[in-house]
Amino acid sequence: MFGESFILFRVLGFEIRANVTWLFLALLVTWSLAAGFFPFVYPDLDPYTYWAMALVGMLGLFFSLLFHELAHSVVARSYGLPVRRITLFLFGGVAEMEAEPKEPRIEFWMAIAGPIASVVLGAAFYLLAHFMVAVGVPEHVAGVARYLGFINLLLAIFNMVPGFPLDGGRVLRAALWQWTGNIRIATRWASRVGQGFGLLLVALGLAAFIAGNFVGGMWWFLIGLFVHAAATAGYQQLLTQQALQGRTVSRFMTTDPVTVPAGTSVREFVDQYLYHHNFDRFPVVRGDRLLGAVGLPEAKEVPREDWERTRIEDVCQGVAEENTVAADADANEALTRMQQARTGRLMVTKGERLVGILVLKDLLRFLDLRAELERD
């Protein structure tokens, strides 16, 4: 989502990552607190004090978002749903689960855990602020804790808006799922509410922009676009999962892929494979054993004067989870792996043998055909 992300640390067994857009949010929050909010609420302080308060406020926001997502993740794990990672990005955070909940009860408790955690944390920050004032801590220092208390309550309220994929939308989906017994119908209606809420935010953003509130209007507009797109994508993701459910990789793979023998020179690879086949990457094999994959990047790393004497097996990318999938694996798992690795091709294996290639466009063609037939 939104490009590259980087690992920060691990906590409670979860990998915590920050998207590059989070850096923009961190800088914007710090600047707005130091130059606007804190000087307005607590005037006549030293500029360095405002920046110190802003830095603590930004770190507190980081902790608050992480605490919110950890609540979702811990509850999901307690119900046996693995969480790959937690990623913070421009509009908040997301716990990336490997599977959807299997029943409405699980969906409800997973969704409500985040807002409950934010309310609890908000109350804790307010209590901390009152305690700090009672023991003689300067008002502006306690004000940072008070600000974080407000932010957490605001986070809980915003997330409880009943529009998918916000937490409130997931609670709505759980209720509709329980009532109808059909997760597809429930997701469709929760997604429509989410799309409507997103459009409302876009309209409010445009109105604020016209009224002269350029920064606020821009944020409402961007958040509205994000909520609308996420609601649409959430429903499409469910349709994809249901369409591929019960189907294995072997159903979609190409069984006669073009392979490169391990002893091929880089010169032969460039002349006989890169120039003759419209593929980004090629499996590298020795006999029927898969050694890895090779493409243009690996060839470019070898100086041209060494192309004749350098063998492909010496420069190829090794076999890894990011570029292979088992033939009997679930097709949904393969699609998720492609999305994570940002690749359109996976090598299909049985043990150490290469048995085919899975191409993203083949999966998408199947999904398009199924969608077209269901529309008719």
Side-chain angles (χ1 to χ4, degrees):
M1 182 180 295
F2 297 110
E4 294 295 329
S5 60
F6 49 91
I7 300 174
L8 297 178
F9 50 83
R10 296 185 68 88
V11 60
L12 300 179
F14 302 111
E15 179 183 284
I16 310 302
R17 303 177 70 95
N19 186 269
V20 291
T21 57
W22 165 255
L23 297 177
F24 174 76
L25 177 63
L27 292 173
L28 181 63
V29 168
T30 304
W31 172 79
S32 63
L33 291 177
F37 180 77
F38 286 138
F40 176 78
V41 178
Y42 306 103
D44 303 323
L45 298 177
D46 187 271
Y48 292 105
T49 301
Y50 289 132
W51 281 101
M53 294 167 64
L55 181 61
V56 174
M58 183 274 292
L59 293 174
L61 175 61
F62 172 88
F63 173 76
S64 300
L65 292 172
L66 180 58
F67 190 77
H68 181 103
E69 296 303 327
L70 279 172
H72 289 307
S73 303
V74 169
V75 172
R77 187 168 61 184
S78 71
Y79 283 110
L81 294 174
V83 177
R84 292 192 298 270
R85 63 181 69 93
I86 295 173
T87 302
L88 301 178
F89 65 104
L90 180 62
F91 300 117
V94 60
E96 301 178 38
M97 296 182 298
E98 293 184 357
E100 288 288 332
K102 301 300 182 184
E103 54 184 281
R105 175 178 60 90
I106 299 175
E107 171 84 314
F108 172 81
W109 287 113
M110 282 174 45
I112 203 68
I116 289 176
S118 293
V119 169
V120 170
L121 190 58
F125 275 123
Y126 272 118
L127 290 174
L128 176 61
H130 285 297
F131 174 78
M132 293 170 74
V133 171
V135 298
V137 174
E139 175 65 25
H140 67 273
V141 177
V144 179
R146 193 175 293 111
Y147 160 78
L148 291 173
F150 169 76
I151 285 296
N152 275 276
L153 294 181
L154 185 64
L155 182 64
I157 292 171
F158 180 79
N159 271 281
M160 281 307 296
V161 171
F164 193 81
L166 298 174
D167 297 335
R170 290 187 174 274
V171 170
L172 174 62
R173 182 172 79 158
L176 293 172
W177 186 2
Q178 180 68 37
W179 180 45
T180 65
N182 189 315
I183 188 175
R184 182 169 178 172
I185 294 175
T187 305
R188 182 169 69 243
W189 284 106
S191 177
R192 286 178 177 175
V193 175
Q195 291 170 337
F197 179 62
L199 293 177
L200 175 62
L201 293 180
V202 168
L204 291 175
L206 290 174
F209 194 85
I210 293 172
N213 183 5
F214 300 111
V215 175
M218 177 193 71
W219 274 107
W220 285 119
F221 183 82
L222 291 177
I223 292 173
L225 288 180
F226 169 75
V227 171
H228 184 274
T232 304
Y235 181 54
Q236 291 301 321
Q237 181 179 14
L238 176 71
L239 295 181
T240 297
Q241 290 174 344
Q242 290 188 331
L244 297 178
Q245 188 174 12
R247 292 178 167 85
T248 63
V249 169
S250 59
R251 159 68 175 75
F252 302 99
M253 71 181 186
T254 300
T255 56
D256 55 347
V258 177
T259 60
V260 180
T264 303
S265 70
V266 174
R267 170 70 67 186
E268 292 173 323
F269 170 66
V270 171
D271 291 340
Q272 299 177 20
Y273 291 89
L274 282 182
Y275 287 154
H276 287 275
H277 300 282
N278 189 27
F279 303 139
D280 294 328
R281 304 195 63 74
F282 299 81
V284 178
V285 296
R286 179 181 288 120
D288 63 352
R289 178 169 170 251
L290 178 65
L291 300 183
V294 68
L296 178 61
E298 288 79 14
K300 288 178 63 177
E301 289 180 359
V302 181
R304 285 181 176 266
E305 59 269 21
D306 296 332
W307 279 12
E308 296 287 355
R309 59 177 177 269
T310 302
R311 296 181 301 175
I312 284 299
E313 65 179 326
D314 297 326
V315 299
C316 71
Q317 176 192 24
V319 174
E321 185 176 296
E322 293 77 20
N323 58 23
T324 59
V325 66
D328 58 355
D330 186 88
N332 273 308
E333 176 189 339
L335 183 58
T336 299
R337 191 170 299 182
M338 285 181 171
Q339 293 169 339
Q340 292 173 352
R342 297 181 183 178
T343 181
R345 294 165 65 86
L346 290 176
M347 299 178 291
V348 185
T349 60
K350 281 187 178 180
E352 294 186 344
R353 292 190 305 112
L354 177 74
V355 295
I357 290 286
L358 180 66
V359 183
L360 178 60
K361 68 178 182 179
D362 293 335
L363 285 175
L364 296 180
R365 182 174 181 274
F366 169 80
L367 294 172
D368 287 342
L369 287 172
R370 185 181 176 96
E372 186 65 31
L373 288 171
E374 290 190 358
R375 276 196 293 269
D376 292 342

